[in-house]
Amino acid sequence: MFREVSKDYINRLYKIFGVLNFILSVFFLFLGDAGLAEKIFGFISINICFIMFYFFFKIIENYKGKGNLAWPFFGGLFKFIFGFMSMVISISAVYMFVNRTIKSGEINHIFFIGIAVSILLGGLSLLANYHRRN
C-alpha cells in the first residue's frame, strides 16, 4: 500500500495542507477566543509546528546511522514503528481535537488539526520510504 505513494505526491499534499494550515491559522487570529498576544503566539506556533514536525520526519527518513553498529539491524524496524505509531497518534489527535470542539463548543481546539496532519504526512513519508527500500 505505501509502496505506491511517491515522494512527489507526499510533497504535493504537504504544500496543499500547508496552505490550508496557514488559512486556518489566519482564521484563528480572527475567530479565536483568546487575547491578542495568545492569538499571535498561536498563529506563529501553528505554522512553525506544521513545518517543524514534517521536517523532523524527513531527518529521521534520511538518517543513515553512521558509526552505530546496531543501526543496520534495528534502523529499518525503528523507522517502520515510528512512522506507523505517528500515523496512529495523529489520527487519534484529529479525532480528539474535533471531539473537544464539539463537546465544549470552544473553537480554539479545531485550529490545531494542521499540526496532526503534518505528523500524519511525515509518518506517511517515513513508511513509504521504508517500503520503497525494502
Side-chain angles (χ1 to χ4, degrees):
M1 176 180 141
F2 295 109
R3 198 168 300 196
E4 297 91 24
V5 179
S6 67
K7 288 181 183 179
D8 294 332
Y9 180 71
I10 294 172
N11 287 335
R12 194 170 343 123
L13 283 176
Y14 175 72
K15 289 176 186 176
I16 290 169
F17 281 112
V19 170
L20 290 174
N21 184 53
F22 182 76
I23 292 169
L24 196 64
S25 62
V26 168
F27 283 138
F28 178 72
L29 281 175
F30 297 114
L31 301 175
D33 297 336
L36 181 63
E38 287 134 353
K39 287 181 182 180
I40 293 172
F41 179 74
F43 173 79
I44 292 170
S45 65
I46 288 170
N47 289 301
I48 288 177
C49 287
F50 184 83
I51 296 167
M52 181 184 66
F53 282 124
Y54 181 74
F55 284 108
F56 172 71
F57 283 97
K58 286 294 189 183
I59 289 170
I60 291 174
E61 182 179 315
N62 296 326
Y63 181 69
K64 304 290 185 214
K66 294 178 182 174
N68 189 347
L69 297 176
W71 190 257
F73 301 112
F74 300 112
L77 180 65
F78 168 74
K79 288 180 181 181
F80 176 78
I81 291 172
F82 195 74
F84 181 76
M85 290 307 294
S86 65
M87 290 180 69
V88 169
I89 290 170
S90 64
I91 290 170
S92 62
V94 168
Y95 172 76
M96 181 188 69
F97 290 143
V98 171
N99 190 23
R100 265 200 195 155
T101 302
I102 291 171
K103 283 185 178 180
S104 68
E106 295 178 9
I107 199 164
N108 288 342
H109 301 290
I110 200 78
F111 293 112
F112 294 99
I113 286 179
I115 297 170
V117 169
S118 174
I119 295 171
L120 179 76
L121 289 174
L124 178 65
S125 175
L126 195 61
L127 282 177
N129 188 29
Y130 171 78
H131 282 290
R132 276 192 299 271
R133 290 188 181 181
N134 292 334

